[in-house]
Amino acid sequence: MSTFKGFLREDGAVGVRNHILVLSTVVCANVVAERVARRVQGAVAFCHTNGCGQIGEDLSQTIRTLAGIGRNPNVFGTLIVSLGCEGVAACDILNDLARNRKNIELVTIQECGGTSGAIRQGERILRGWQKEWKNQKRVPCQLKDLTVGLECGGSDTSSGIAANPVMGYVSDRVVSMGGKVILSETTEMIGAEHLLAARTTNGVLAKKLLDFVKKTEDSAKAMKVDLRGTQPTPGNIKGGLTTIEEKSLGCLAKAGHSRIVEVVGYAEQPTKQGLIVMDTPGYDVESVTGMLAGGAQIFLFSTGRGTPVGCPIAPVIKVTGNPRTAERMRENIDLDASGLTLGRQSIEEIGDGLFALLRKTASGRKTASERLGHTEASITRIGPSV
């Protein structure tokens, strides 16, 4: 089957969820955004610690990320909550989103007389959207309308030999049906970047990918850390991974065998259908946020040791290849791929199950992280606060 039931937006995009987004532009607006969202059915807040004390490309990246999240197909409407004097230009985000979407509004705390006034105004705006929001219905959509983000966190030895290859199988199926798949985590390409570069469709993309990896290594060296030949994450070490190269080989398995058609920066919107590489940190929460801003409506997330991390506006499907984790953290796991680790099932058997789960989730089935209320989010930084 190549269809699912999603929400068709006025700009032609397709959502797998129907959230009213309350988007904070700066840490100072987080409390207002959270309290407005709590008061209105269907609303969810996106909060973060960025938005001020940033300059240059660092500030531009935060603005690009916030605008991308507001533009995500899972969003019915966006209420931007601004303090009024932060570095992020809230009006620019408002104008950007309003070009292609309706139900875009701005509340400025300083213009509302403070916290309580801003909460009341925000609530009034969202309640005005309620009738239209409730009338939104799912309609048949094609899998080519999906953008699937690939992530791993809390990895162990089972990730690279089971969960990630199963995700790679599904990744190839989505690509073959005309959809987009985003591979992220530049840190976890180190040592295997030449294998990815060989899968790009041209030399320009290969160079761009290799430059991203070099930039990541150089930033670590500036802090007197050489990532090659080491395994800097304590959890990965406890999970049996010995080097970054070993981790990278497992990480790449998430992307299957498709050719790479595009390489983009953090939170940039891909323009092509197929397998895309996005430059993100290995830190899973920041990586997921970047792909979310790039248009991913749904995520496949492998975890060997187990992690409960979710996302404010997109379902995150957790896959583990570790039988102990599948049992110990079963409330956080959506699919147990340990049959492959134990030699009882094939990649194809488990992959077909994951593909079916992807379709069901896109059509409305809640993931473990959604049921448990996990909405973690963070925007990566380039430079220090000023």
Side-chain angles (χ1 to χ4, degrees):
M1 293 287 290
S2 59
T3 61
F4 68 97
K5 289 187 176 180
F7 298 96
L8 186 61
R9 305 302 179 198
E10 58 267 27
D11 59 1
V14 173
V16 305
R17 295 294 184 266
N18 194 38
H19 293 297
I20 298 172
L21 176 64
V22 186
L23 183 67
S24 171
T25 61
V26 64
V27 63
C28 316
N30 285 351
V31 167
V32 170
E34 288 170 346
R35 292 184 184 174
V36 170
R38 282 191 214 134
R39 293 184 176 204
V40 180
Q41 182 187 7
V44 61
F46 182 91
C47 297
H48 56 97
T49 58
N50 289 16
C52 211
Q54 297 178 269
I55 57 174
E57 178 55 28
D58 190 37
L59 178 61
S60 297
Q61 179 172 270
T62 292
I63 295 170
R64 179 173 71 243
T65 303
L66 293 173
I69 291 166
R71 201 181 298 116
N72 189 283
N74 291 347
V75 173
F76 162 80
T78 302
L79 174 67
I80 302 165
V81 180
S82 164
L83 175 60
C85 60
E86 65 269 31
V88 166
C91 286
D92 289 347
I93 297 176
L94 176 74
N95 293 333
D96 184 344
L97 297 182
R99 280 200 294 267
N100 299 306
R101 297 281 186 93
K102 56 183 179 178
N103 298 322
I104 308 294
E105 295 284 350
L106 170 64
V107 167
T108 303
I109 297 169
Q110 291 169 348
E111 293 178 3
C112 292
T115 296
S116 298
I119 292 171
R120 287 193 295 270
Q121 183 175 337
E123 182 180 358
R124 281 196 297 270
I125 291 169
L126 296 198
R127 292 204 181 278
W129 296 349
Q130 282 286 287
K131 184 176 180 180
E132 185 181 356
W133 170 77
K134 288 181 179 178
N135 287 335
Q136 296 283 296
K137 304 295 182 186
R138 289 184 181 270
V139 297
C141 302
Q142 299 295 314
L143 276 175
K144 66 180 179 60
D145 295 318
L146 276 187
T147 299
V148 180
L150 304 176
E151 187 62 39
C152 54
S155 300
D156 69 359
T157 52
S158 74
S159 298
I161 64 174
N164 289 351
V166 166
M167 285 167 50
Y169 174 85
V170 174
S171 169
D172 284 339
R173 285 192 65 174
V174 172
V175 169
S176 72
M177 292 177 176
K180 292 178 187 161
V181 174
I182 304 178
L183 175 69
S184 63
E185 301 178 285
T186 307
T187 311
E188 296 178 11
M189 299 172 193
I190 294 172
E193 68 271 31
H194 60 294
L195 301 176
L196 268 184
R199 289 171 55 183
T200 57
T201 54
N202 60 64
V204 174
L205 291 182
K207 183 179 185 304
K208 190 173 182 181
L209 189 153
L210 294 173
D211 285 347
F212 280 156
V213 174
K214 184 178 186 303
K215 178 196 68 176
T216 298
E217 283 198 86
D218 288 347
S219 66
K221 289 177 180 177
M223 292 182 284
K224 305 188 185 309
V225 175
D226 187 348
L227 293 174
R228 287 189 187 262
T230 67
Q231 179 46 261
T233 308
N236 291 164
I237 294 170
K238 290 180 181 178
L241 294 170
T242 60
T243 65
I244 197 73
E245 292 86 352
E246 185 179 17
K247 175 82 177 288
S248 296
L249 289 169
C251 178
L252 266 55
K254 300 197 303 291
H257 301 90
S258 302
R259 297 295 300 275
I260 296 166
V261 298
E262 193 170 11
V263 178
V264 298
Y266 186 86
E268 288 184 354
Q269 300 268 332
T271 61
K272 297 183 178 180
Q273 304 296 115
L275 178 61
I276 293 112
V277 172
M278 179 180 285
D279 179 27
T280 78
Y283 180 28
D284 46 23
V285 179
E286 292 183 354
S287 178
V288 166
T289 298
M291 290 185 282
L292 187 72
Q297 310 110 306
I298 191 167
F299 292 89
L300 298 178
F301 190 126
S302 68
T303 180
R305 294 176 56 80
T307 174
V309 165
C311 175
I313 61 170
V316 180
I317 300 172
K318 292 290 175 55
V319 182
T320 189
N322 187 321
R324 290 189 297 273
T325 299
E327 173 60 26
R328 185 175 60 249
M329 294 191 67
R330 56 183 174 273
E331 72 167 354
N332 299 103
I333 301 299
D334 295 288
L335 186 127
D336 178 4
S338 64
L340 181 57
T341 308
L342 300 172
R344 297 171 182 167
Q345 291 177 284
S346 67
I347 290 176
E348 293 77 14
E349 287 175 313
I350 304 174
D352 287 341
L354 181 57
F355 182 75
L357 180 58
L358 178 73
R359 288 184 58 243
K360 289 177 183 176
T361 303
S363 296
R365 182 188 188 276
K366 286 194 174 182
T367 62
S369 61
E370 288 178 300
R371 292 193 299 270
L372 293 166
H374 282 280
T375 57
E376 295 82 0
S378 182
I379 303 172
T380 197
R381 296 282 294 259
I382 298 172
S385 299
V386 294

